[in-house]
Amino acid sequence: PGADEAARHTHRLAPRGGRTEQAQVETSPASAESAGIIARAAAGVIDLLMLAAGRPGVLAELCSDPSYAKEERALLRDIRSAVRGRDMVSAFRISEKVSQNPALREKTISYIFIELRNALIHASDTVSIAGAIRRVSRIAQTLASTNDNPRLGMDVMFLECMKT
């Protein structure tokens, strides 16, 4: 490719010996477009891995059923939006929707934990987030082992997330 069609980039490479070397890499507009496609695909794979949360059967189902994957991504997106945006109206809507469906409630609880763990990784105040994780865990255990009001439990769980 010509100079007007390609961009030159210098990258530092660290081979196994620990010595750092520089290399010139030419990228064409087509390869830049391919890189964008690959980056979007990688983000999609990361989303699927996050949704599966280490469960290979769930990952297989997410990969084989696009409509299921779309539903799960939507639920995670709604929870993420409510928790990160501290949007109690959305959180209460989610609580209402999931409180009567035990399977959906369990998914929602696991996605709340995903959000809290992500917040813990990126936060400067890890003590408050760790406390929220502990309180949400207790609420989840109570909901699983007693006949408490699931709607109230989910509402309190979201309130705990908003405190962080």
Side-chain angles (χ1 to χ4, degrees):
D4 56 336
E5 295 176 14
R8 288 195 178 273
H9 299 283
T10 301
H11 296 280
R12 291 194 180 274
L13 304 174
R16 286 189 179 178
R19 229 179 44 211
T20 302
E21 299 177 5
Q22 288 189 348
Q24 289 276 335
V25 179
E26 287 191 19
T27 58
S28 67
S31 67
E33 183 179 321
S34 297
I37 291 169
I38 291 169
R40 285 190 298 279
V45 169
I46 290 170
D47 283 348
L48 292 178
L49 291 171
M50 187 169 35
L51 288 169
R55 300 168 294 178
V58 173
L59 181 61
E61 188 173 351
L62 288 166
C63 291
S64 66
D65 186 354
S67 64
Y68 176 67
K70 184 177 178 181
E71 289 173 17
E72 295 301 303
R73 281 185 175 123
L75 178 61
L76 181 59
R77 184 188 64 240
D78 292 346
I79 292 168
R80 181 177 289 154
S81 174
V83 170
R84 289 183 183 176
R86 295 180 171 23
D87 183 359
M88 287 310 303
V89 173
S90 295
F92 289 152
R93 277 194 212 120
I94 295 168
S95 292
E96 182 178 19
K97 182 172 109 177
V98 306
S99 64
Q100 299 307 313
N101 182 336
L104 188 57
R105 187 170 57 240
E106 287 301 315
K107 283 183 198 177
T108 301
I109 291 169
S110 71
Y111 293 161
I112 288 172
F113 279 118
I114 287 170
E115 280 307 302
L116 287 172
R117 287 181 190 129
N118 286 339
L120 186 63
I121 290 168
H122 302 299
S124 58
D125 181 18
T126 57
V127 173
S128 68
I129 295 172
I133 290 172
R134 186 180 66 247
R135 290 185 298 273
V136 168
S137 178
R138 286 183 186 154
I139 296 166
Q141 289 172 351
T142 301
L143 286 176
S145 63
T146 65
N147 195 18
D148 283 353
N149 183 338
R151 169 72 190 272
L152 180 60
M154 293 303 299
D155 286 347
V156 173
M157 210 176 283
F158 276 110
L159 286 170
E160 289 297 336
C161 292
M162 306 298 169
K163 289 181 182 180
T164 61

